[in-house]
Amino acid sequence: MPALMIQGCGSNVGKSMLVAGLCRAARRRGFSVAPFKPQNMSNNAAVTADGGEIGRAQALQALASGLEPVVDMNPVLLKPESETGSQVIVQGKRLTTARARDYAALKPQLMGAVLESFGRLRARHDLVIVEGAGSPAEVNLRAGDIANMGFARAAGVPVILTGDIDRGGVIAQIVGTQAVIDPEDAAMVAGFLINKFRGDPRLFDDGYAFIEERTGWKGFGVVPWFGQAHLLPAEDAQDILARPVGEGVVIACLTLSRIANFDDLDPLKAEPGVKLVMVRAGDPIPAEARLVILPGSKSTRGDLAFLRAQGWDVDLAAHVRRGGHVLGICGGYQMLGASVADPEGIEGPAGVTAGLGLLEVETVMTPDKRLERVRAVEAGSGLPVEGYEIHIGRTSGADCARPFAFVEGRAEGAMSADGRIVGSYLHGLFASDDFRAGYLARLGIAAAPRRHAAEVEAALEALADHVEAHLDVPGLLRVAGLDQGAG
């Protein structure tokens, strides 16, 4: 069955965006297309229709394909919990936590799950577009590889290699990759493309021809920088630091060391009346902030220590004394309480860490993880909220008597007596347009009459137009095995 794999010369070269654009382009040509990433490493996750979790980028690619996300689209997800260890999610469920050096021993048994998921997608769709991870040039990781050439050869999928010209040295990226990889791996490469070009692409004609001549690989196009990329969820936390943040009332979000599910911020960032400030390590929380957000975290106790090391606990206390508002989401909610206990050492060494004491609640980490899409109503306003829960830990205490929302009658979250400190486990809440407008209004911010989902959909259409205009899409579909790729 037809399939094509987009691999990169490095991380963050734009593979996720290209796959989303190609999925939408194939769908517009009448094909049933599905995205697939054998192995992803990201703390930005999505809850799937079948009750698991996958990388957020694959959920976006599913949307581009007109599909509900399912766990087969990303069968192995690594969620970093520390500098040396990650939670290993296999087909949507937590398998274990492994140190980097121990993960290599796991990879051979994970290939079976990867090929099983890929086989199911292939059986259900006309085309599967696969995204690699990192770079095949990382030859030190080639043994047991399931993310790049190891998968491509096991599944028999042709590869298109992507270079990022924005970071410089793109000729060396592509020619150098061919030089260091195994000849049998190189034989899987059907061609290359150049991504993130700024300026006149004709200025790269000689470089493009040089790559074709030196490698013998066919070029499939030069893709200019996509200006609407900021309207789509980011895969890498570093991306949100580089994006424009707008003008207006300041909402500050703490950039935690293990920040998770940070696409919660996207609908706020797009509000014309909001200036979203991502507070970096070493920077103070802006005194003029009307709202401070503590986002999700993959390591709540670890990020509490990180938060204190930046002095943000002192800044938060001053912010509250000035009458400011605070919103904690998921791990951020847990941090707002009196304590976070991890008696079984699920997220790190067993123990108890003092919280920020801004809410009268306590959290105990438990092995079971809640993975659920939810429909809720905000307590008090009754405004509808759609989102998802993806967390371990159970939170209880006096302030839970003032819930943030009700999920099918179940009280969810907590609120201080004056209503200025709020905690919730609900991710994605600001994508609910009426709730977002109401919440901002209570902060004295006039929300624009926006429909966030429609804006994302429009950006995906623009991305497909962009890909069609600058890549040989019919040629790529022929490489994948679709002879009618010209439509």
Side-chain angles (χ1 to χ4, degrees), residues 90 109 148 221 244 286 347 426 474 484:
V90 180
Q109 72 186 70
N148 288 304
E347 284 194 338
L426 298 186
Q484 66 267 48

Side-chain angles (χ1 to χ4, degrees), residues 213-396:
E213 180 181 354
R214 180 59 66 94
T215 63
W217 292 336
K218 174 180 170 55
F220 284 88
V222 177
V223 183
W225 188 276
F226 180 56
Q228 293 174 262
H230 66 280
L231 298 175
L232 298 171
E235 170 85 329
D236 193 307
Q238 293 304 309
D239 292 341
I240 61 174
L241 297 175
R243 293 179 174 187
V245 293
E247 298 295 335
V249 176
V250 172
I251 293 178
C253 178
L254 305 187
T255 308
L256 303 172
S257 66
R258 291 287 175 262
I259 188 171
N261 295 83
F262 44 83
D263 57 309
D264 287 341
L265 306 171
D266 287 349
L268 289 179
K269 181 178 58 59
E271 284 289 343
V274 169
K275 180 177 182 180
L276 179 65
V277 175
M278 300 302 301
V279 185
R280 302 168 185 254
D283 291 343
I285 296 174
E288 67 273 23
R290 196 163 298 176
L291 169 69
V292 177
I293 297 176
L294 278 64
S297 169
K298 196 64 199 68
S299 180
T300 301
R301 292 173 63 218
D303 267 339
L304 265 169
F306 177 82
L307 181 154
R308 289 188 166 106
Q310 314 313 313
W312 290 338
D313 55 334
V314 177
D315 290 352
L316 275 169
H319 171 77
V320 172
R321 286 196 302 271
R322 290 192 296 267
H325 293 252
V326 179
L327 171 65
I329 301 174
C330 200
Y333 169 29
Q334 296 172 340
M335 293 178 199
L336 291 176
S339 64
V340 180
D342 190 356
E344 299 183 43
I346 298 167
E347 284 194 338
V352 180
T353 298
L356 297 171
L358 296 178
L359 283 176
E360 290 187 51
V361 298
E362 298 178 338
T363 297
V364 178
M365 298 300 185
T366 56
D368 56 308
K369 177 181 284 190
R370 182 183 287 274
L371 290 165
E372 186 180 7
R373 295 182 182 183
V374 299
R375 292 177 181 270
V377 293
E378 186 187 19
S381 73
L383 290 169
V385 180
E386 290 190 27
Y388 60 96
E389 293 186 52
I390 181 169
H391 66 91
I392 60 171
R394 296 292 177 263
T395 301
S396 59

Side-chain angles (χ1 to χ4, degrees), residues 44-48 52-57 59-60 69 77 261 371 388 390:
N44 215 24
V47 175
T48 63
E53 57 179 311
I54 62 174
R56 170 61 58 182
L60 177 68
L77 175 61
N261 295 83
L371 290 165
Y388 60 96
I390 181 169

Side-chain angles (χ1 to χ4, degrees), residues 25 76 87 125 257 324 357 363 387 425 435 437:
V76 178
Q87 188 179 114
H125 301 282
S257 66
T363 297
Y425 277 117
F435 164 76

